[in-house]
Amino acid sequence: MAEARFNLTRREVKGNKLVRKAKSRALGGKDDDELMGQMASNGTWFARLAIGEPPQAIDLDLNMLTSDFYVRHTTSHAGTRYDDLFSKSFAKSNQHPYRSCTLPTDVFHLPTVDKSIPLPFAYCRPLKGSQDTLQASGSMLGLAPSKNLRQIDTPFLLHHGNEGVLSIGGTGAQAAEMVSKQTAEQLDRAGAQEKINAFTAENGKTLEGGTNSLDKAKIPEEKIILHKRGGEARGFKTKRADWKEGWTWSKVQGAEGWWQTLMQGVWVGGSRVLQNQAAVIDINTPFILAPPLAVKTFYAAVAGSRPLDPPYSNFYVFPCMNPPSIEFEFQGTRFPAMQGGRGMEYASAIIPGGKFSLGRLKHGSGYCVGAIVETRMGLKEEKEGMTGGSKQGIGSAAASVGSLAGNGMRDVWVIGERFFRGVSGVFDVQEKRIGFRAY
């Protein structure tokens, strides 16, 4: 499931750069009327907002691999539903920004804005013959830093005209903090202060230089609640951070579209065992995914570790009572990764293996499953591309698979949620960079 989300995009040359775009169905993507992004999946992060008059509360799923904002209404009872029939403020539109979507306007009640804001938005009802009708209802907020990953021809939620949607009515500073604060979740359910701090509006330089509305406004202390499916809801108070200081900045690299950067080193027990590894940041990935050779090299430095037998050979185990000391290096700074105990997460019992452990191999075992997991993403596509074969047979579409049409994930790590239990991150859309800071 974690890998499948990365296989829905392809790379292509646009102008003088390489960009990511949604795959067509012929290349292994979704049906033509389906959008990327899975709603209401277990383990994913979401906030809550309300739409319409009277307000209808729905879940807002956060997705770092897409760029669209849309609301979906299906026939399934799963998820949370917004229904235009029950909103007095709903304004119908005949525009169709996507095959199964219209572009109406309704009132949005955003968590950190004092007044309601009327916004046009993509309202999607899957076609009757589509399997999407069985999916959950809800809304999706794509946080990928590229317009090329948009499938819907509408303005992004954070942008509208020259001001940006979230600066309407003089509330710009508070509203632009909505995504920042909602992605500032406490990723450790034990209640530690690990978090991902911000996504900035692309039209406002909220970091270097600043803009008048965001830099001059004073942000009051507010209580923000962000939820993780399968976990607890967490409420916490936060203030606007000083974005300019205290961060180690790493430039976004690779094909434009995702939060991909260069991890300069992987350290185990004080020794660097890997260097110069491409890495994509994604808080909805529950593990740390790494390519085969990197995983073998990493676990070779972990005393007593070994791979599991097939079909689970992409997982490794290590002695629970001897967890490794791990650090990831960005821009010359080493950040502790998955260090320390698991706290009160499991009924007040500290689990052997610490934060690096996914749990015991089995009841009573002295071995724990490691959180760095082998991924073979990109390898199958390249093999099919070289042989000219795919599920579509021999042809132009099949021949392109494995070259630029592939997902480009061969030899690329995915730094998932577990890294951010002890490290915070800030994502600067304007400057195309990621900031890291250890607690």
Side-chain angles (χ1 to χ4, degrees):
M1 181 63 183
E3 294 180 344
R5 298 169 54 244
F6 294 88
N7 290 329
L8 296 176
T9 63
R10 63 188 299 271
R11 297 171 297 161
E12 68 175 49
V13 177
K14 184 177 181 181
N16 62 349
K17 61 184 178 181
L18 195 61
V19 301
R20 293 188 182 276
K21 287 193 172 183
K23 279 184 181 178
S24 65
R25 183 179 182 182
L27 290 176
K30 289 195 170 186
D31 292 339
D32 293 337
D33 63 328
E34 293 183 65
L35 294 164
M36 292 190 297
Q38 190 76 19
M39 293 182 185
S41 297
N42 190 43
T44 55
W45 291 97
F46 68 98
R48 287 206 170 103
L49 75 158
I51 307 176
E53 293 291 351
Q56 300 178 45
I58 62 171
D59 293 345
L60 177 68
D61 282 68
L62 305 179
N63 193 318
M64 299 183 73
L65 305 182
T66 67
S67 297
D68 288 315
F69 169 70
Y70 62 95
V71 177
R72 185 171 67 188
H73 179 118
T74 71
T75 57
S76 170
H77 294 293
T80 54
R81 181 180 298 176
Y82 160 80
D83 196 327
D84 59 278
L85 296 177
F86 299 106
S87 175
K88 295 184 293 185
S89 53
F90 179 84
K92 187 177 179 180
S93 169
N94 291 323
Q95 297 183 54
H96 289 269
Y98 196 71
R99 183 179 178 185
S100 58
C101 307
T102 58
L103 191 65
T105 299
D106 209 338
V107 173
F108 279 67
H109 309 268
L110 300 177
T112 58
V113 182
D114 293 333
K115 58 186 294 186
S116 302
I117 300 176
L119 298 176
F121 64 100
Y123 184 41
C124 305
R125 289 174 174 263
L127 302 178
K128 292 182 178 180
S130 169
Q131 63 181 9
D132 243 15
T133 57
L134 304 176
Q135 303 298 322
S137 297
S139 63
M140 178 72 66
L141 176 60
L143 299 172
S146 173
K147 297 178 180 179
N148 292 297
L149 281 173
R150 294 184 192 172
Q151 296 175 271
I152 306 176
D153 186 19
T154 59
F156 182 49
L157 178 65
L158 296 181
H159 318 296
H160 186 69
N162 295 323
E163 291 184 314
V165 164
L166 300 181
S167 63
I168 291 175
T171 61
Q174 290 182 355
E177 289 288 330
M178 181 192 71
V179 177
S180 299
K181 292 177 180 179
Q182 289 175 344
T183 52
E185 64 269 14
Q186 294 188 348
L187 292 177
D188 189 339
R189 282 175 274 170
Q193 295 181 354
E194 297 90 345
K195 54 189 176 179
I196 293 178
N197 272 329
F199 280 83
T200 61
E202 187 175 351
N203 287 348
K205 295 182 179 179
T206 62
L207 295 170
E208 296 295 337
T211 58
N212 47 7
S213 64
L214 294 182
D215 281 345
K216 293 179 181 179
K218 295 182 179 179
I219 307 302
E221 187 174 288
E222 299 186 43
K223 188 172 184 180
I224 307 300
I225 298 178
L226 192 130
H227 310 261
K228 181 179 178 180
R229 293 186 177 87
E232 300 177 11
R234 287 289 176 182
F236 59 95
K237 292 184 177 181
T238 182
K239 291 184 178 181
R240 178 177 173 83
D242 183 354
W243 305 122
K244 298 181 182 180
E245 300 177 0
W247 301 97
T248 296
W249 294 103
S250 184
K251 278 287 187 180
V252 172
Q253 301 181 2
E256 180 185 295
W258 293 340
W259 294 101
Q260 179 174 328
T261 190
L262 179 66
M263 182 167 58
Q264 294 178 324
V266 177
W267 297 71
V268 179
S271 298
R272 185 162 65 178
V273 298
L274 290 162
Q275 61 181 354
N276 297 331
Q277 305 287 300
V280 172
I281 311 298
D282 176 43
I283 62 171
N284 281 323
T285 298
F287 321 119
I288 307 292
L289 300 178
L293 182 58
V295 167
K296 290 178 175 62
T297 302
F298 170 83
Y299 279 105
V302 178
S305 64
R306 60 178 175 82
L308 295 178
D309 294 331
Y312 307 107
S313 56
N314 55 328
F315 290 90
Y316 281 68
V317 294
F318 66 96
C320 295
M321 300 305 294
N322 189 28
S325 174
I326 307 167
E327 295 171 303
F328 292 164
E329 179 183 350
F330 296 96
Q331 292 299 308
T333 302
R334 289 152 58 177
F335 296 91
M338 300 168 287
Q339 295 186 17
R342 299 280 291 271
M344 304 294 291
E345 188 172 337
Y346 288 85
S348 75
I350 297 178
I351 302 299
K355 294 181 181 178
F356 181 58
S357 171
L358 296 178
R360 290 186 184 273
L361 177 60
K362 59 183 178 180
H363 181 72
S365 173
Y367 281 90
C368 290
V369 180
I372 293 183
V373 180
E374 179 181 330
T375 176
R376 300 178 179 92
M377 284 192 292
L379 296 178
K380 180 179 179 181
E381 287 184 323
E382 289 196 5
K383 181 178 179 180
E384 289 175 346
M386 289 186 290
T387 60
S390 77
K391 66 180 182 180
Q392 298 296 324
I394 298 175
S396 58
S400 65
V401 175
S403 56
L404 292 183
N407 59 20
M409 290 300 291
R410 179 176 179 175
D411 299 327
V412 178
W413 289 58
V414 177
I415 306 299
E417 171 193 323
R418 285 182 175 266
F419 175 65
F420 294 98
R421 300 181 179 186
V423 176
S424 62
V426 58
F427 300 82
D428 181 0
V429 175
Q430 182 71 20
E431 300 295 333
K432 305 293 185 185
R433 60 182 183 172
I434 307 168
F436 299 96
R437 181 165 60 193
Y439 280 100

